Amino acid sequence: MFKFILPVLLLIASCLDSAASQTRRFPDDFRWGVGSSSYQIEGGWNADGKGESIWDFLTHNYPEKIADKLNGDISADSYHQWKRDVQMVKELHAGTYRFSLSWTRIMPGGYKNNVSTAGIEYYSNLIDELLRYNITPMVTIYHWDMPQRLQELGGWTNPEIIPVFKDYARLVLEMFGDRVKTWTTINEPLHVCECGYGLDYMAPSYNYPGIPSYLCGHNVLKAHAEVVHMYRELFQSQQGGRIGITMDTSWMEPKDVTSTEDREASERALQFYLGWFAHPIFSKEGNYPKVMIERIRNLSKEQGFGDRSRLPEFTAEEIQRIRGTADFFGINSYTTKLVYSNGHNNTGKFPVPSFNHDMGAVETQKGVDWPSSGSSWLKVYPRGMYNLLMWIHREYNPPRILVTENGVSDRGGLEDYARVDYYNLYLSAVLDAIEDGVNVKGYMAWSLMDSYEWKVGFSEKFGLYHVDFNSPNRTRTPKVSALVMAQIYKTNTIDWSYRPKLNEEQLVALAQLSTENQQPKTSGASGAVSWSLTGLLLLALLR
Ligand SMILES: *[C@@H]1O[C@H](CO)[C@@H](O)[C@H](O)[C@H]1NC(C)=O
Ligand SMILES: *[C@@H]1O[C@H](CO)[C@@H](O)[C@H](O)[C@H]1NC(C)=O
Ligand SMILES: *[C@@H]1O[C@H](CO)[C@@H](O)[C@H](O)[C@H]1NC(C)=O
Ligand SMILES: *[C@@H]1O[C@H](CO)[C@@H](O)[C@H](O)[C@H]1NC(C)=O
């Protein structure tokens, strides 16, 4: 028995030793931030005349679709606790706070005929408070909470949304553009369109595969482009800010890298997931990726749709109008999938027609030994972040990439050493990409605090700050990861030897939480230790 344990201990010790001496520095002008989104944290769902969004509608009418049947009516109550939120961003030494505006807090019915002064004031105060502490606001105009009244007209599938979204964007650019210098039009169009319309995964939960998600994508791209042109024509020269879009994908690793078929499936999956929105905006030639256009046209024809592809076509003029409409490339990524081709004849796995069938690629995480997290879909494979950034660099060579979301979930607790490891590992991967020539200019951790996580309710936690959802004022307490991120952000340096213990504030909060029996069960200290060793071993293997 000892014969076996000793070499393992020695291996661990040597890894600890080499990791401990490992500090790595980011470029001096690197931009650090932390993110949140309106529906996930604000609460105040009908406060001061706020209108109903598709998430209010979904959670109120179909609570059975939410893992814990709960909703974001109050959530972390940032509608009232925003000053504390700003304090937390400050404590983290984050230079940027990325948050989103709730459309129906500003325009209760979605249209400009009815503007809520209370809504404008809320965001205006938040922005002023951030600026008071020298924190740069980075504002997402749309992060999934479509006005329910506009959804009743078809939401993003109705081209009417383009001028209406533009009206909303114009108002917020007029109201806040004097103080906000970084704008994102739309967060994760893939999730908006495929997960909201193609699947039953996100509001509005159409679960209608193969057709409406492409209409959605078409209108999202046009609406995005119109807002960017408006910003450039009317606001950018006076206000001097930047505007872009944030897209998302997992890294798509070929299941068997030696297989041409798997490598092609991986490339196809990246073109469908990311290229769908990135290619029209960031490529030299514009338009959807060729492989998407051809496959969906061919399959539509085979399926009896005739010459009208389910993927709508842009006119030459529209292609030009959309191309180049971003000052930065925003990317959200959390994990990696293994990908293989859906057989030679693309049958069996997926509904026909559907986005996944059009893509003809199957994703899995079976058989990998990557550490798991609080979310079934999220496994820890930092090399995937490096590969994804390299792919974006090769494909589009954008001069300015911002990692606008990256982080990991657990099921609760303040001693989140697994999250500490995740951040150290993923930031190392980002730095590897920078050192290999990728223009990553900033990184925003997801997320500032435990939040309402959409269809999984409050069961999965991504926060650097713990939120006590049972306390009247939603008390926030820094987790260990918050202390580590504060150190990274302050020093521009990852330092594996920096492993703080809980401070006074955290110990008091922890005691309070456990006496009130509110502390969710976690893997506990031994879990955390084995986790952190896994992280160190992974790091040692990667370098
Ligand atoms: C404007 O919105 C408020 C708050 O939702 C609502 O009470 C009011 O009836 C709306 N007014 C119009 C003209 O739609
Ligand atoms: C689409 O069909 C055309 C004509 O049959 C064929 O040449 C082409 O390879 C197909 N493209 C794809 C991506 O399947
Ligand atoms: C298509 O693939 C399925 C599953 O791999 C197989 O059972 C079937 O025989 C194939 N059909 C054709 C026409 O190749
Ligand atoms: C609310 O928060 C304040 C600190 O901001 C704290 O002193 C107070 O005890 C909290 N109240 C409750 C009921 O938790």
Side-chain angles (χ1 to χ4, degrees):
M1 170 127 183
F2 280 107
K3 234 173 30 194
F4 177 70
I5 286 177
L6 191 62
V8 172
L9 284 177
L10 283 174
L11 175 67
I12 288 170
S14 77
C15 288
L16 277 170
D17 193 45
S18 71
S21 62
Q22 187 145 9
T23 61
R24 298 185 70 192
R25 213 180 144 75
F26 277 77
D28 287 336
D29 62 349
F30 198 74
R31 182 170 175 184
W32 297 110
V34 66
S36 72
S37 88
S38 48
Y39 185 71
Q40 290 181 274
I41 63 164
E42 282 178 6
W45 82 275
N46 62 356
D48 303 326
K50 178 182 164 295
E52 187 183 30
S53 80
I54 55 176
W55 277 95
D56 298 318
F57 181 85
L58 179 80
T59 57
H60 292 161
N61 293 287
Y62 302 95
E64 71 278 5
K65 291 195 176 204
I66 311 299
D68 55 14
K69 302 194 167 51
L70 298 175
N71 56 51
D73 286 5
I74 304 174
S75 190
D77 198 24
S78 287
Y79 189 59
H80 299 105
Q81 305 297 333
W82 52 277
K83 281 197 176 172
R84 172 68 178 129
D85 294 351
V86 175
Q87 230 175 50
M88 284 144 52
V89 179
K90 172 83 180 146
E91 286 167 10
L92 287 169
H93 296 278
T96 297
Y97 181 40
R98 175 176 180 259
F99 63 95
S100 79
L101 307 176
S102 159
W103 192 337
T104 56
R105 195 178 294 294
I106 293 169
M107 293 178 172
Y111 284 101
K112 69 176 179 184
N113 70 318
N114 199 5
V115 172
S116 160
T117 334
I120 302 275
E121 260 171 33
Y122 171 66
Y123 293 113
S124 193
N125 289 338
L126 172 61
I127 291 163
D128 287 344
E129 184 78 357
L130 288 164
L131 293 175
R132 192 164 301 136
Y133 292 102
N134 260 331
I135 300 161
T136 304
M138 175 172 184
V139 175
T140 305
I141 299 175
Y142 183 82
H143 196 127
W144 305 2
D145 39 3
M146 170 72 65
Q148 176 60 21
R149 295 298 281 165
L150 298 180
Q151 194 59 57
E152 285 158 17
L153 301 176
W156 288 110
T157 63
N158 183 346
E160 168 74 5
I161 199 70
I162 300 164
V164 180
F165 180 67
K166 196 175 159 188
D167 284 344
Y168 160 53
R170 178 170 183 145
L171 178 76
V172 302
L173 292 171
E174 277 169 357
M175 290 292 155
F176 310 129
D178 56 334
R179 289 158 289 161
V180 173
K181 304 301 169 195
T182 313
W183 292 94
T184 306
T185 53
I186 291 160
N187 178 69
E188 299 191 358
L190 169 74
H191 268 70
V192 172
C193 294
E194 174 56 12
C195 299
Y197 293 83
L199 306 170
D200 185 14
Y201 186 48
M202 290 291 167
S205 273
Y206 268 33
N207 202 18
Y208 180 166
I211 296 173
S213 59
Y214 296 130
L215 302 177
C216 168
H218 214 61
N219 293 325
V220 159
L221 281 161
K222 287 185 186 179
H224 156 83
E226 287 314 308
V227 169
V228 172
H229 283 292
M230 172 175 62
Y231 184 65
R232 287 178 177 169
E233 278 153 28
L234 301 182
F235 301 100
Q236 196 162 31
S237 59
Q238 305 98 289
Q239 297 180 348
R242 287 196 175 99
I243 193 164
I245 187 166
T246 275
M247 296 153 292
D248 70 295
T249 185
S250 303
W251 168 247
M252 299 288 156
E253 178 81 8
K255 186 158 185 283
D256 172 1
V257 279
T258 66
S259 149
T260 312
E261 249 189 52
D262 288 6
R263 287 205 308 272
E264 283 170 4
S266 148
E267 177 65 19
R268 241 181 5 255
L270 287 162
Q271 293 296 352
F272 269 73
Y273 280 126
L274 184 55
W276 182 6
F277 298 99
H279 200 275
I281 298 172
F282 294 93
S283 70
K284 286 209 175 59
E285 61 278 18
N287 205 356
Y288 295 117
K290 198 159 166 264
V291 65
M292 259 186 109
I293 296 174
E294 280 195 9
R295 283 184 69 93
I296 301 171
R297 187 197 289 140
N298 288 5
L299 285 166
S300 296
K301 196 162 204 164
E302 277 174 33
Q303 290 156 357
F305 290 91
D307 289 331
R308 263 171 64 90
S309 174
R310 286 176 287 102
L311 181 68
E313 279 178 34
F314 289 121
T315 64
E317 199 183 324
E318 286 166 346
I319 291 172
Q320 287 319 308
R321 186 130 181 106
I322 294 167
R323 210 177 58 82
T325 52
D327 301 326
F328 60 86
F329 191 113
I331 183 73
N332 297 352
S333 193
Y334 293 86
T335 191
T336 289
K337 303 284 171 66
L338 296 180
V339 189
Y340 57 96
S341 167
N342 190 26
H344 294 293
N345 59 20
N346 198 15
T347 53
K349 287 267 187 229
F350 304 117
V352 178
S354 67
F355 176 80
N356 288 92
H357 181 259
D358 291 336
M359 180 164 75
V362 186
E363 296 148 48
T364 182
Q365 287 179 324
K366 280 210 187 88
V368 298
D369 55 1
W370 308 335
S372 56
S373 71
S375 311
S376 58
W377 54 272
L378 204 173
K379 299 205 187 304
V380 183
Y381 182 67
R383 190 79 193 167
M385 176 59 93
Y386 171 84
N387 290 342
L388 176 61
L389 292 170
M390 294 304 289
W391 189 88
I392 293 169
H393 177 69
R394 283 195 304 272
E395 193 73 12
Y396 311 111
N397 193 15
R400 208 178 159 75
I401 300 175
L402 298 175
V403 175
T404 32
E405 284 180 25
N406 176 240
V408 72
S409 60
D410 58 24
R411 295 298 176 121
L414 297 181
E415 293 170 283
D416 58 340
Y417 293 100
R419 181 170 288 108
V420 170
D421 290 338
Y422 180 97
Y423 279 123
N424 279 324
L425 288 163
Y426 271 73
L427 283 172
S428 282
V430 170
L431 198 45
D432 289 343
I434 293 172
E435 287 172 1
D436 286 347
V438 184
N439 301 310
V440 186
K441 301 296 186 188
Y443 177 95
M444 326 270 142
W446 188 269
S447 63
L448 177 57
M449 69 192 113
D450 292 342
S451 312
Y452 184 75
E453 286 300 331
W454 315 106
K455 295 271 288 270
V456 297
F458 294 103
S459 62
E460 297 173 13
K461 319 278 190 186
F462 281 83
L464 294 169
Y465 279 73
H466 172 276
V467 176
D468 180 357
F469 290 102
N470 295 312
S471 74
N473 54 5
R474 298 299 190 271
T475 309
R476 287 111 156 98
T477 310
K479 304 179 187 177
V480 170
S481 60
L483 307 182
V484 172
M485 290 309 261
Q487 180 77 2
I488 294 174
Y489 285 9
K490 190 172 146 191
T491 60
N492 243 9
T493 303
I494 316 170
D495 178 359
W496 278 83
S497 65
Y498 184 69
R499 301 190 74 75
K501 300 229 178 330
L502 293 185
N503 64 24
E504 202 67 25
E505 177 194 2
Q506 293 166 316
L507 288 171
V508 169
L510 190 63
Q512 206 164 4
L513 287 171
S514 38
T515 48
E516 288 161 23
N517 200 20
Q518 290 173 343
Q519 182 66 352
K521 287 276 168 282
T522 65
S523 57
S526 62
V529 168
S530 71
W531 238 108
S532 74
L533 288 176
T534 312
L536 291 169
L537 285 167
L538 262 173
L539 179 82
L541 291 174
L542 283 170
R543 295 299 302 159

